[in-house]
């Protein structure tokens, strides 16, 4: 329908590296853009979804974390697992036609529920960036943390993708010794999730963004906060800071893409001062899901929880500004989807 779309910018990855800006500019090929993402993946389990992901013909694939399950400070082992993932047939085929970006979570970082205390985080970062084919002289190689921004520009609109690092700077969690939950929120104001350097960078990216859609990739859930596992809600002051940043920046159509939980779901909230609802799309369980899931509270949930292996599709229309979000299972089955008009 929109075959007359004209690309006005050529692929600008090398230019972005040359001038040392922490962003990448890439041309958008069409007016309706499809982006696929997912998390929680093991190369040695049955990888059922790569053919379905490729069939969706996404502009790019976003790793939401737990690309591998390393859980070790032996970086040689981490690299071996990344190499094994690169040899997975379906993933190899996807990489030939699709740009791959993303972030890590605790298991590919190297420490279950780990944060700033992980002793091998600097070496693990380099292994992750090798897996992502980041050039050796790229500024992402010398910064602390794997956060980064990508810009996709065309004559009909712009998309910004902000990839966060919720591991490198994150301070200690608070164990819940009073209930059956694993973790409880820190006292308000105590602890760090993103770290000040990343917060300053994030504020700059949102304040200067003129994108029609701003996708923020967080390895852990932002809205769902009552399950007792890792989430932004364990740092309630960081949640409030992020909400205020959205209001202050007035960045358009922010959507959060999250993972970690071995379930997939949609969450949504209205934030005072923000002209649109904030959606947190969780897609988790590429090769293994929480099949024994029996329920958990989430006051922001839309629809049901999907506890089967799945990935997420984000379809952005640059003309109508509509978003179509789909949870996709094996053989292209879509058990749940939502649309948001802005």
């Amino acid at each position: 329908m929109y075959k007359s779309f004209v690309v006005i910018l050529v692929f600008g990855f090398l230019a972005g590296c040359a001038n040392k800006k922490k962003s990448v500019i890439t041309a958008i090929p069409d007016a309706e853009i499809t982006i696929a993402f997912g998390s929680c993946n093991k190369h040695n389990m049955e990888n059922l979804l790569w053919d379905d992901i490729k069939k969706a013909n996404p502009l790019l694939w976003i790793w939401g974390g737990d690309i591998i399950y390393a859980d070790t400070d032996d970086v040689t082992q981490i690299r071996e697992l990344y190499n094994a993932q690169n040899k997975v047939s379906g993933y190899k085929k996807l990489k030939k036609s699709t740009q791959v970006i993303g972030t890590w979570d605790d298991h590919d970082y190297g420490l279950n529920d780990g944060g700033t205390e992980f002793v091998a985080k600097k070496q693990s970062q380099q292994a992750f960036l090798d897996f992502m084919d980041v050039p050796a002289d790229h500024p992402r190689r010398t910064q602390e943390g794997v956060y980064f921004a990508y810009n996709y520009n065309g004559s009909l609109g712009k998309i910004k993708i902000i990839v966060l690092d919720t591991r490198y700077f994150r301070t200690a969690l608070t164990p819940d010794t009073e209930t059956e939950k694993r973790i409880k929120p820190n006292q308000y104001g105590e602890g760090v999730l993103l770290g000040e350097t990343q917060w300053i960078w994030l504020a700059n990216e949102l304040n200067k963004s003129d994108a029609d859609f701003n996708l923020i990739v967080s390895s852990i859930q932002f809205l769902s906060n009552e399950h007792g596992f890792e989430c932004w809600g364990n740092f309630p002051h960081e949640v409030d800071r992020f909400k205020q940043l959205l209001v202050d920046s007035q960045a358009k159509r922010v959507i959060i893409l999250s993972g970690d939980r071995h379930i997939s779901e949609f969450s949504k909230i209205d934030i005072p001062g923000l002209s649109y609802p904030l959606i947190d799309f969780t897609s988790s369980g590429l090769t293994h899901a929480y099949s024994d899931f029996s329920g958990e509270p989430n006051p922001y949930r839309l629809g049901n929880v999907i506890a089967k292996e799945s990935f997420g599709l984000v379809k952005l229309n640059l003309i109508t500004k509509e978003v179509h979000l789909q949870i996709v299972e094996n053989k292209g089955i879509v058990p749940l989807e939502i649309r948001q008009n802005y």
Side-chain angles (χ1 to χ4, degrees):
M1 180 177 180
Y2 301 115
K3 298 302 182 182
S4 62
F5 177 74
V6 178
V7 172
I8 60 171
L9 289 177
V10 298
F11 188 77
F13 185 85
L14 294 179
C17 294
N19 62 25
K20 302 300 182 183
K21 290 182 179 179
K22 289 187 177 181
S23 63
V24 171
I25 299 176
T26 305
I28 296 176
D30 212 336
E32 183 168 278
I33 305 303
T34 297
I35 294 169
F37 79 105
S39 62
C40 302
N41 176 80
K42 292 184 178 181
H43 76 278
N44 56 356
M45 295 186 70
E46 193 170 14
N47 278 233
L48 295 171
L49 299 174
W50 295 117
D51 58 338
D52 297 299
I53 294 167
K54 191 173 188 303
K55 188 175 181 180
N57 194 30
L59 174 69
L60 69 153
W61 167 257
I62 303 176
W63 283 109
D66 291 339
I67 301 166
I68 57 174
Y69 278 68
D71 297 306
T72 179
D73 58 9
D74 185 338
V75 179
T76 298
Q77 291 184 28
I78 293 175
R79 290 184 181 278
E80 288 174 352
L81 288 170
Y82 280 134
N83 290 336
Q85 178 57 37
N86 271 326
K87 293 176 182 177
V88 172
S89 175
Y91 182 62
K92 285 175 65 177
K93 292 177 182 177
L94 180 72
K95 284 185 68 177
K96 289 180 180 179
S97 60
T98 307
Q99 181 187 6
V100 175
I101 65 173
T103 190
W104 57 15
D105 200 35
D106 54 342
H107 296 292
D108 38 6
Y109 182 60
L111 180 64
N112 184 35
D113 289 351
T116 189
E117 76 280 7
F118 182 48
V119 296
K121 61 184 180 180
K122 292 182 182 295
Q123 299 91 329
S124 181
Q125 175 173 332
Q126 297 307 312
F128 170 84
L129 296 176
D130 287 344
F131 175 74
M132 289 292 176
D133 296 320
V134 175
D137 62 346
H138 194 275
R140 205 176 180 191
R141 292 282 187 174
T142 56
Q143 73 178 29
E144 291 189 300
V146 302
Y147 58 90
F148 200 65
Y150 299 80
N151 295 290
Y152 298 83
N153 297 355
S155 63
L156 294 179
K158 300 179 180 181
I159 300 169
K160 176 185 281 287
I161 299 177
I162 296 174
V163 176
L164 298 180
D165 186 332
T166 64
R167 292 291 158 192
Y168 200 97
F169 306 98
R170 201 220 68 209
T171 55
L173 302 169
T174 301
D176 190 338
T177 59
E178 300 170 356
T179 74
E180 294 182 354
K181 295 179 180 180
R182 182 188 299 176
I183 301 165
K184 66 180 180 180
N186 289 2
Q187 290 293 321
Y188 196 92
E190 291 185 4
V192 171
L193 181 58
L194 297 187
E196 195 59 28
T197 298
Q198 187 175 185
W199 269 116
I200 293 170
W201 167 84
L202 175 59
N204 181 60
E205 290 293 337
L206 287 175
N207 284 326
K208 73 180 183 182
S209 178
D210 61 352
D212 297 282
F213 296 96
N214 293 273
L215 306 184
I216 298 183
V217 182
S218 168
S219 65
I220 57 175
Q221 289 183 306
F222 180 76
L223 288 180
S224 182
N225 59 7
E226 297 183 13
H227 44 67
F229 298 102
E230 288 200 87
C231 62
W232 277 70
N234 293 323
F235 300 83
H237 50 289
E238 300 271 83
V239 173
D240 286 349
R241 183 172 180 175
F242 183 84
K243 290 178 180 178
Q244 190 60 52
L245 176 56
L246 293 184
V247 173
D248 291 344
S249 69
Q250 289 298 303
K252 292 180 285 188
R253 304 177 187 90
V254 172
I255 301 170
I256 297 175
L257 307 181
S258 59
D260 176 58
R261 295 296 321 290
H262 302 260
I263 59 173
S264 295
E265 65 177 339
F266 301 116
S267 304
K268 181 178 177 180
I269 190 175
D270 290 317
I271 298 174
L274 199 62
S275 61
Y276 55 85
L278 177 66
I279 294 174
D280 182 351
F281 181 0
T282 302
S283 179
S284 178
L286 286 168
T287 59
H288 51 296
Y290 187 7
S291 57
D292 294 332
F293 180 83
S294 59
E296 66 183 31
N298 177 2
Y300 311 110
R301 182 180 296 135
L302 297 176
N304 302 320
V305 168
I306 304 302
K308 292 182 66 175
E309 291 77 12
S310 63
F311 65 95
L313 283 182
V314 180
K315 300 180 179 181
L316 308 172
N317 193 305
L318 293 172
I319 295 179
T320 66
K321 304 300 188 287
E322 181 186 60
V323 175
H324 184 194
L325 306 176
Q326 295 179 307
I327 297 170
V328 186
E329 297 174 359
N330 188 32
K331 298 182 179 179
I333 296 172
V334 180
L336 190 64
E337 59 188 320
I338 62 172
R339 295 178 185 268
Q340 178 65 50
N341 293 301
Y342 292 93

